[in-house]
Amino acid sequence: MKKVRIGSVGLGRLGYEHAKNIASMIPNAELGALCDVDEANLKKVANELGVSNIYIDFEKMCRRPDLDAIVIVSPSSLHPEQIKIAMENGKHVFCEKPLGVTVEACKDAEATVEAHPDLKFMLGFMRRFDPSYMNAKKRIENGDLGRIILIRGYSVDPISSIENTIAYGPHSGGQFLDMAVHDIDLIRWLTGSEPDRIWALGGCYEFEEFASWNDGDNVSCTMQLKDDTMAFIFAGRAAPHGSHVETEIIGTKGAIRISPVPTPDLNVYYDEHGVRQEAYQDFMMRWQQAYINEITEFCDCIIEDRTPPVSVYDGTATTRIAYRCKESFESGSKLLSMD
Ligand SMILES: NC(=O)c1ccc[n+]([C@@H]2O[C@H](COP(=O)([O-])OP(=O)(O)OC[C@H]3O[C@@H](n4cnc5c(N)ncnc54)[C@H](O)[C@@H]3O)[C@@H](O)[C@H]2O)c1
């Protein structure tokens, strides 16, 4: 089988994970080059993964003729420009979410992708590639839930990582763009519909620092979709129990709850605290398989000449909705139309 030879940029929290997966967990991929501006970390990761082609300059990596594709896991604000550089050098692109940190930047990325119809582009909304979410989507399409009434998305980071979260916060684009964007994507994907009206709430309930970049440590948004489905999302940064992403889909014939108990194993502990299960402590562990599946699918799309299932337009749409949520939150929770 042909392998897609990949150059990967950004070797931080998630970039390191993607690089490890490409190097050893994805059968149709090979890791041909690495890029990061942090030279010490770049050398360390390259050494660990046995990669000899390393770059501080992204454009130089993209000029390598032996690379088929670029995986972008750099800070979100760099995505549109790096997509452009990669595609202008003839590379297929997988880019982490969000597509860009403004709607205008997303439009620039759309223009780049449209200018290169011969190249594949895929955005990293990995929840769509998690086996439980894939199963739920199939059941919805099969009509098992009847008409969808409400989707509830719940995404919280653990308090154990609050220092990192606060350090990353000012550059993240805020909770709606950085975190809730995954739930926004799920709502669009699971219903096939788009938000019509939105009403966002939130505040600093524990960590006032979030207010200094106009964000909240806990935020939420209620939406009415164009097909009248109701949706509710909650995003938090300091859950005492762990890293928890849960989605509930309520239909006229039944409901599905995906991961109401966010536990990595089947063990139930009986001790002085009572009867309990342990929770995931980081998102990496929860989405391990989904991260592998999404890059595998990206490579398959290149090899089989198929259109990738998450498009540049999904990136713009989710960013636009996230900003509208942010606008509602910042305006003191005005009810806003998406038009
Ligand atoms: N899908 C998910 O579940 C998920 C989870 C976490 C992060 N992300 C996304 O992944 C991206 C990276 O997030 P992270 O948490 O790994 O960030 P990070 O800050 O941990 O890592 C970013 C890396 O990019 C490097 N970098 C910065 N500027 C660069 C440049 N000009 N050229 C090359 N390298 C450069 C930094 O040195 C760092 O190693 C973000 O867009 C984020 O939204 C997605």
Side-chain angles (χ1 to χ4, degrees), residues 5 7 58-71 82-94 116 118-121 298 302:
R5 195 165 162 81
F58 177 68
E59 189 155 9
K60 272 194 189 152
M61 178 173 82
C62 291
R63 279 195 223 120
R64 283 190 72 90
D66 64 336
L67 295 179
D68 303 304
I70 301 292
V71 165
Q82 290 187 334
I83 292 167
K84 189 164 191 241
I85 293 170
M87 288 195 141
E88 283 180 351
N89 280 282
K91 309 303 181 200
H92 304 285
V93 172
F94 173 94
H116 298 92
D118 48 325
L119 296 172
K120 308 292 177 196
F121 174 84
F298 169 63
I302 295 170

Side-chain angles (χ1 to χ4, degrees), residues 77-200:
S77 59
L78 302 180
H79 295 175
E81 181 59 20
Q82 290 187 334
I83 292 167
K84 189 164 191 241
I85 293 170
M87 288 195 141
E88 283 180 351
N89 280 282
K91 309 303 181 200
H92 304 285
V93 172
F94 173 94
C95 179
E96 258 311 323
K97 56 54 65 177
L99 178 61
V101 293
T102 63
V103 175
E104 294 68 35
C106 292
K107 289 278 177 197
D108 290 346
E110 279 185 10
T112 302
V113 172
E114 284 167 3
H116 298 92
D118 48 325
L119 296 172
K120 308 292 177 196
F121 174 84
M122 180 166 152
L123 194 68
F125 278 129
M126 80 299 182
R127 290 187 191 177
R128 297 191 191 194
F129 299 88
D130 174 79
S132 303
Y133 282 89
M134 289 162 74
N135 188 352
K137 169 85 169 158
K138 249 191 221 147
R139 284 170 187 264
I140 291 170
E141 285 175 348
N142 201 33
D144 297 359
L145 266 61
R147 181 178 173 183
I148 305 302
I149 298 168
L150 181 133
I151 299 202
R152 175 177 63 84
Y154 172 102
S155 298
V156 294
D157 277 338
I159 194 155
S160 54
S161 62
I162 191 68
E163 277 181 25
N164 285 341
T165 306
I166 287 174
Y168 176 77
H171 317 288
S172 66
Q175 290 249 56
F176 289 109
L177 186 69
D178 187 55
M179 172 80 108
V181 75
H182 285 292
D183 293 291
I184 293 169
D185 180 61
L186 286 179
I187 289 166
R188 296 178 66 248
W189 180 60
L190 292 171
T191 63
S193 187
E194 298 286 339
D196 186 26
R197 294 189 300 158
I198 56 145
W199 184 52

Side-chain angles (χ1 to χ4, degrees), residues 9-15 35-38 41 56 58 73-76 78-79 82 96-98 124 126 168 178 182 283 287 291 294:
V9 60
L11 295 170
R13 283 184 316 168
L14 184 58
C35 170
D36 199 293
V37 288
D38 178 344
N41 189 40
I56 293 171
F58 177 68
V73 207
S74 55
S76 307
L78 302 180
H79 295 175
Q82 290 187 334
E96 258 311 323
K97 56 54 65 177
M126 80 299 182
Y168 176 77
D178 187 55
H182 285 292
F283 65 85
W287 304 107
Y291 291 135
E294 65 179 354

Side-chain angles (χ1 to χ4, degrees), residues 6-20:
I6 292 174
S8 200
V9 60
L11 295 170
R13 283 184 316 168
L14 184 58
Y16 173 58
E17 201 64 20
H18 276 315
K20 274 193 303 182

